[in-house]
Amino acid sequence: MIPSRWIVLLVSVCPLLCLSAEEPIFTNLDFSNGLDGWGAWSGTKAHRWVLDKEVGHGGKSSLRIEADSRKNNVMVLTTTTRMKPGQRYGFEMWGRFEKMSLRFRSDFRVIFRDADGKWITGIDLNPHFRKPEGDWFQTRYRMLVPDNAASTTVGIWVRETKGIVRVSGMSLSLIPAGQRSLDSMYLYDPFQVKLGPVPLQNFR
């Protein structure tokens, strides 16, 4: 028979254990488990994409996308149903370009779908922060989950280019409601204050 004091202790500790064991929003955003949970889409022939354990930022692995033709493309992506509608999130990642063509497109794209799997919107996110570090560069993005979104897909879309694109150390953070995510009047945070089309055009 378990003493009553141990029962009280277990009941009081259980919520902490449950919180600590809560699943992450994305199961393998930083490629620590290889390419588990990642897939790809292409409208043509897909570029080759592989996990590179030898070349990554800070000793981590990287996703390497090998673009061999400007006619081909690929979006390497992962999906979650754990991002909460109406919440703001921040993404951070390290990237690296190698032997790229003079003009190229490599976008960080997010796609939202409703509970029936119907497309709501797809957006190529623009970074609000970029900092070089040797051959790598750090970028940060912000996004707002639509109220009717049931799933969120994020991915690296490489198109209209030749060369090698690497992504490493990707992470996600929640931006608390009401918190300023940018402290410069020259950088517009579209998710902090919603502007109509006219004020937004005047700002631009």
Side-chain angles (χ1 to χ4, degrees):
M1 185 180 217
I2 301 176
S4 58
R5 65 178 180 275
W6 289 108
I7 294 176
V8 172
L9 179 61
L10 287 172
V11 170
S12 62
V13 170
C14 184
L16 297 177
L17 294 177
C18 293
L19 285 174
S20 63
E22 185 177 351
E23 293 186 58
I25 292 176
F26 284 95
T27 56
N28 187 30
L29 198 63
D30 62 354
F31 309 109
S32 58
N33 293 324
L35 295 175
D36 182 38
W38 288 83
W41 172 90
S42 176
T44 58
K45 179 183 177 182
H47 295 313
R48 182 171 180 261
W49 55 284
V50 297
L51 180 75
D52 193 330
K53 295 182 178 180
E54 302 298 325
V55 180
H57 182 266
K60 296 181 179 180
S61 299
S62 68
L63 167 68
R64 186 175 77 237
I65 301 175
E66 303 171 359
D68 58 1
S69 171
R70 296 184 64 89
K71 296 180 181 179
N72 300 332
N73 62 63
V74 72
M75 179 178 171
V76 184
L77 50 84
T78 185
T79 301
T80 184
T81 58
R82 301 191 184 103
M83 297 188 80
K84 298 179 180 179
Q87 292 277 18
R88 294 183 301 157
Y89 293 88
F91 283 93
E92 180 177 303
M93 70 179 72
W94 289 88
R96 177 169 159 177
F97 296 138
E98 302 172 9
K99 303 177 182 179
M100 303 297 288
S101 54
L102 184 61
R103 293 173 298 155
F104 67 90
R105 292 196 65 176
S106 177
D107 303 304
F108 181 51
R109 187 164 179 80
V110 58
I111 298 170
F112 299 106
R113 290 184 170 86
D114 63 17
D116 297 324
K118 185 178 179 180
W119 172 291
I120 298 174
T121 185
I123 308 168
D124 295 332
L125 297 181
N126 293 315
H128 67 85
F129 174 89
R130 184 182 290 256
K131 182 184 73 172
E133 183 182 289
D135 294 333
W136 293 87
F137 57 90
Q138 181 186 30
T139 52
R140 294 174 185 165
Y141 305 83
R142 292 154 297 130
M143 57 174 285
L144 174 68
V145 182
D147 292 336
N148 55 340
S151 70
T152 304
T153 298
V154 298
I156 310 301
W157 196 5
V158 178
R159 47 186 164 157
E160 301 173 21
T161 186
K162 293 179 67 176
I164 297 176
V165 176
R166 294 182 185 272
V167 175
S168 182
M170 191 183 303
S171 62
L172 171 70
S173 60
L174 174 66
I175 302 175
Q179 176 179 308
R180 294 182 61 88
S181 60
L182 296 173
D183 291 320
S184 171
M185 64 179 294
Y186 299 106
L187 296 175
Y188 169 52
D189 183 347
F191 309 131
Q192 187 166 305
V193 178
K194 295 183 180 180
L195 300 181
V198 176
L200 179 57
Q201 183 60 40
N202 290 338
F203 178 88
R204 288 173 175 166

